[in-house]
Amino acid sequence: MQLTRPGPGAAGRVYLDHNATSPLLPEARAAILEALAAPGNPSSVHADGRAARRRLEHAREQIATTLGVGPEQLVFTSGGTEADNLALLQVDGPVLVSAIEHPAVLEVRPDAVRIPVNADGIVDLAALDALLEERRPALVAVMLANNETGVIQPVAEVARLAHAHGALVHVDAVQALGKLAFRFDQLGADMLAISAHKLGGPVGIGALVLGADLELRPLLRGGGQERGLRPGTGNVAAAAGFAAALACWDEGERQRLAALREQLERELLARVPEARILAAGAPRLPNTSCIALPGVAATTQLIRLDLEGISVSAGSACSAGRIGRSHVLAAMGVEPAVAASAIRVSLGWSSCEADIERFVVAWTELARQLTRAPALVSAMMRPT
Ligand code: PLP
């Protein structure tokens, strides 16, 4: 399916921050509106309730089928954060997490021991093996793809090692869903967190996917919804939007994004030799580029681009507008000065060639002005 709807975003802006949140796909919007127009609580026994239930279960089945699991293996949540929390809070024993996890994992179990990553941002399997031996964890969490760099992790290998030591495996696939073709069983995970709004679905819905024989301890109490695993009235419209958005993703779309990202990086490097693409040599999601311009603060770039009508982010924008030092780039051993100059450009279904061209022109101009500035200042300060 051809996904792209080329053309500028709202008010002529260029939106290149899909890893923060992607605009709502028209297909998702249509599914949501249709579901919202129908009355009914999916737990009610009358005809309206049963119709709502059918809609909810249809969405569950569609998403589950894409992941190659049964519908009973998918528990809807309020998003990726809740799905990660639910997974991490399943065990009381020691936990290992990769050093590049999202705060939705890292902050749930602050006691977790961190598995290092190499300079490409890929989890160090030898270090994991040693930690498994030493710590005997109950759970290991490694994300499928990182939100800042797009680097794809060898989760099947992680799962093999962790299972050999009797640990459960949780995979945060919030950024990978849609942008990477995978089935649950290929990952070898016991639990998988997904979220709708990173791929063009609505904000406020996600799911935890479970291995067929896994017993889940609910975090919330107060109702029998989601087989008692996640009480609360089912969000039928959001689930319908999630399923409709996911159905839009296919190999053609992934290749289209990969080609756009390739064009972006090639043109930037050709025009700005100081530019660095972080983790360029690692397997990455087709939509994400982490670009450093040593000497020019990421916030400065962000503001300049914003004034030019272009939205990107500095590192991860997932933490309430906080721009601190990126723990991901720090874990990769990126020098602090380079990390502080890194921005994240993330493409999605609405991205088109014109967006890339506008970004390249704006960023090249910014780099031309700002990387020359220090030399100019020091030349002016030189004693005559
Ligand atoms: N995990 C990753 C890797 C993310 O990038 C995000 C983004 O916010 C989350 C989890 C949280 O997902 P949500 O915004 O659906 O709670």
Side-chain angles (χ1 to χ4, degrees):
M1 181 187 298
Q2 181 64 5
L3 257 181
T4 184
R5 284 83 169 157
R13 288 187 64 89
V14 170
Y15 189 81
L16 295 174
D17 201 12
H18 288 256
N19 286 13
T21 201
S22 200
L24 195 61
L25 272 156
E27 288 82 348
R29 180 191 299 272
I32 291 167
L33 291 177
E34 194 189 322
L36 284 175
N41 180 324
S43 300
S44 299
V45 293
H46 48 63
D48 290 319
R50 294 198 306 277
R53 169 59 75 103
R54 273 197 300 279
R55 219 184 273 279
L56 182 66
E57 295 313 319
H58 180 59
R60 190 193 312 277
E61 255 175 56
Q62 280 183 286
I63 301 168
T65 301
T66 304
L67 292 168
V69 298
E72 72 289 350
Q73 290 174 257
L74 193 138
V75 178
F76 281 122
T77 63
S78 62
T81 302
E82 187 191 330
D84 280 333
N85 272 255
L86 190 53
L88 271 281
L89 294 173
Q90 289 305 308
V91 298
D92 301 316
V95 171
L96 298 182
V97 299
S98 88
I100 56 163
E101 293 300 305
H102 188 271
V105 166
L106 291 179
E107 292 179 15
V108 185
R109 288 290 304 260
D111 58 317
V113 173
R114 298 195 184 186
I115 314 157
V117 296
N118 66 17
D120 277 334
I122 299 173
V123 77
D124 180 339
L125 293 172
L128 167 64
D129 208 17
L131 283 169
L132 285 164
E133 199 59 48
E134 185 190 318
R135 304 278 171 161
R136 304 269 152 197
L139 178 89
V140 175
V142 174
M143 68 205 322
L144 184 49
N146 182 263
N147 42 304
E148 294 186 37
T149 60
V151 171
I152 298 167
Q153 302 299 318
V155 293
E157 191 58 13
V158 167
R160 197 183 60 73
L161 292 172
H163 286 156
H165 287 79
L168 286 174
V169 174
H170 171 60
V171 172
D172 175 333
V174 166
Q175 292 291 349
L177 188 65
K179 299 163 216 162
L180 197 66
F182 67 89
R183 290 166 58 92
F184 182 75
D185 61 359
Q186 291 170 327
L187 305 181
D190 300 290
M191 295 175 280
L192 184 90
I194 55 176
S195 179
H197 74 105
K198 306 294 187 181
L199 54 95
V203 176
I205 188 152
L208 188 66
V209 182
L210 303 168
D213 42 9
L214 199 72
E215 294 267 312
L216 199 66
R217 320 200 284 223
L219 293 187
L220 306 180
R221 312 274 155 181
Q225 295 93 341
E226 300 293 304
R227 294 182 293 118
L229 302 176
R230 204 288 186 172
T233 301
N235 192 343
V236 179
F242 189 175
L246 184 57
C248 289
W249 286 81
D250 62 12
E251 205 41 47
E253 175 60 4
R254 289 187 274 273
Q255 283 177 14
R256 189 185 73 81
L257 291 182
L260 284 178
R261 201 262 308 267
E262 215 273 313
Q263 177 192 346
L264 166 83
E265 295 186 350
R266 183 174 16 88
E267 291 188 14
L268 288 186
L269 291 173
R271 293 173 189 217
V272 184
E274 303 95 317
R276 273 180 60 183
I277 311 295
L278 302 180
R284 286 181 294 160
L285 294 178
N287 77 317
T288 308
S289 193
C290 187
I291 305 160
L293 182 60
V296 183
T299 42
T300 307
Q301 298 177 52
L302 218 81
I303 293 164
R304 289 285 289 255
L305 291 168
D306 195 23
L307 291 171
E308 293 291 326
I310 301 172
S311 299
V312 299
S313 104
S316 170
C318 287
S319 39
R322 214 173 47 199
I323 301 178
R325 188 170 176 219
S326 157
H327 69 282
V328 174
L329 301 183
M332 290 163 62
V334 176
E335 312 92 274
V338 174
S341 77
I343 60 167
R344 178 187 67 189
V345 178
S346 52
L347 318 179
W349 66 267
S350 62
S351 305
C352 60
E353 235 174 89
D355 293 343
I356 303 300
E357 280 158 20
R358 248 180 84 185
F359 175 82
V360 168
V361 168
W363 197 79
T364 305
E365 179 57 17
L366 163 169
R368 195 186 61 77
Q369 289 177 9
L370 299 178
T371 52
R372 302 248 167 100
L376 195 71
V377 171
S378 55
M380 283 161 62
M381 287 168 68
R382 223 172 281 141
T384 48

